[in-house]
């Protein structure tokens, strides 16, 4: 299954009394068939080894809470997209509108004066708390040969600093620059202290706890002026919205990467 976990667990009630905390094949088959997704077991018998079969059953069993409410989750995601596209206000009262300001490209045609002006604009926005940073950190370091969140990876610098540490320290430095270089968080005119720079780290259900623990173990790399917030991304399986060649309706059917995955 591709991306079969979700952080939306507020509605896990089910009229089906079959437990979802074991990998019994009959249990899994009943739950998936009840959800209209029984096809995921079509090629189960062709999986070559018992270990692979057990791994697949575990994956299916862990995904039962999602499959039970797949239609509900999908409708919620689709309706949310429509709301964002058609309204100017969100549920918390914040105004959502397209950016209409100038788009700046700091390429070779940008003059030194223009670059300096935009630098000042950016630092002023940071000082006033109008800027936040967002890092999409839901992926694992598999392609790097690293078993863990990519942000925890030591990229081979002499300092042995990880990607998370480099990012957080750069934001800390921006705070110092925005404060005028003194690093005392004063606004420079005797007024109130500048706002902390917020860093939002989007994790995944797979690595959320490990990512939060990494920041805690390293005391957010002693970057006291950076306020870090963590949130896991919601996830759904890949779904097929097309019809098959025989005229059957495959709408919203879970797609498999292979017979046992």
């Amino acid at each position: 299954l591709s991306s079969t976990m979700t952080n939306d667990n507020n509605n896990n009630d089910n009229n089906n009394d079959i437990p979802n905390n074991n990998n019994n094949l009959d249990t899994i088959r009943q739950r998936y068939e009840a959800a209209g997704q029984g096809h995921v077991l079509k090629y189960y018998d062709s999986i070559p080894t018992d270990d692979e079969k057990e791994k697949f059953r575990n994956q299916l069993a862990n995904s039962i809470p999602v499959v039970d409410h797949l239609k509900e989750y999908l409708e919620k995601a689709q309706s949310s997209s429509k709301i964002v596209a058609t309204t100017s206000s969100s549920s918390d009262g914040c105004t959502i509108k397209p950016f209409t300001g100038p788009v700046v490209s700091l390429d070779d045609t940008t003059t030194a004066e223009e670059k300096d002006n935009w630098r000042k604009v950016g630092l002023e926005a940071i000082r006033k708390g109008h800027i936040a940073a967002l890092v999409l950190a839901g992926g694992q370091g598999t392609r790097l040969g690293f078993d863990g969140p990519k942000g925890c990876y030591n990229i081979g610098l002499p300092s042995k600093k990880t990607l998370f540490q480099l990012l957080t320290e750069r934001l800390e430095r921006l705070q110092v620059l925005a404060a005028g270089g003194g690093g005392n968080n004063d606004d420079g005119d005797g007024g109130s202290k500048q706002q902390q720079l917020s860093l939002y780290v989007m994790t995944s259900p797979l690595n959320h706890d490990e990512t939060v623990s990494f920041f805690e173990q390293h005391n957010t790399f002693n970057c006291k002026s950076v306020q870090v917030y963590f949130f896991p991304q919601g996830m759904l399986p890949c779904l097929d919205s097309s019809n098959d060649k025989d005229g059957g309706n495959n709408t919203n059917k879970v797609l498999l990467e292979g017979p046992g995955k």
Side-chain angles (χ1 to χ4, degrees), residues 126 129 131-135 164 167-176 185 194-202 212 215-216 219-231:
I126 292 172
I131 297 294
L134 169 67
V135 58
F164 279 143
L167 173 64
T168 309
E169 288 181 348
R170 291 190 71 177
L171 296 177
E172 175 89 345
R173 178 57 183 165
L174 280 174
Q175 285 284 81
V176 173
N185 283 343
Q194 72 176 65
Q195 300 292 318
Q196 283 186 313
L197 182 57
S198 296
L199 168 62
Y200 292 86
V201 181
M202 188 190 77
V212 174
F215 273 81
E216 291 176 344
N219 195 28
T220 315
F221 316 106
N222 297 313
C223 295
K224 297 180 180 179
S225 67
V226 179
Q227 181 67 47
V228 185
Y229 300 91
F230 303 91
F231 65 99

Side-chain angles (χ1 to χ4, degrees), residues 5 138-140 203-210 235:
M5 301 176 67
Q140 293 292 91
T203 63
S204 69
L206 181 65
N207 67 17
H208 179 80
D209 292 341
E210 189 175 356
M235 300 179 71

Side-chain angles (χ1 to χ4, degrees), residues 1-5 32 37 39-40 59 63 66-67 70 74 234-242 250-258 261:
L1 284 169
S2 179
S3 300
T4 57
M5 301 176 67
Y32 275 78
Q37 303 292 344
H39 64 283
V40 299
Q59 189 178 21
S63 301
V66 177
V67 174
L70 187 56
L74 182 61
M235 300 179 71
L236 289 171
C238 289
L239 303 174
D240 185 3
S241 60
S242 63
N250 284 339
T251 301
N252 299 333
K253 295 293 185 181
V254 172
L255 291 174
L256 298 179
E257 295 181 29
K261 187 176 180 182

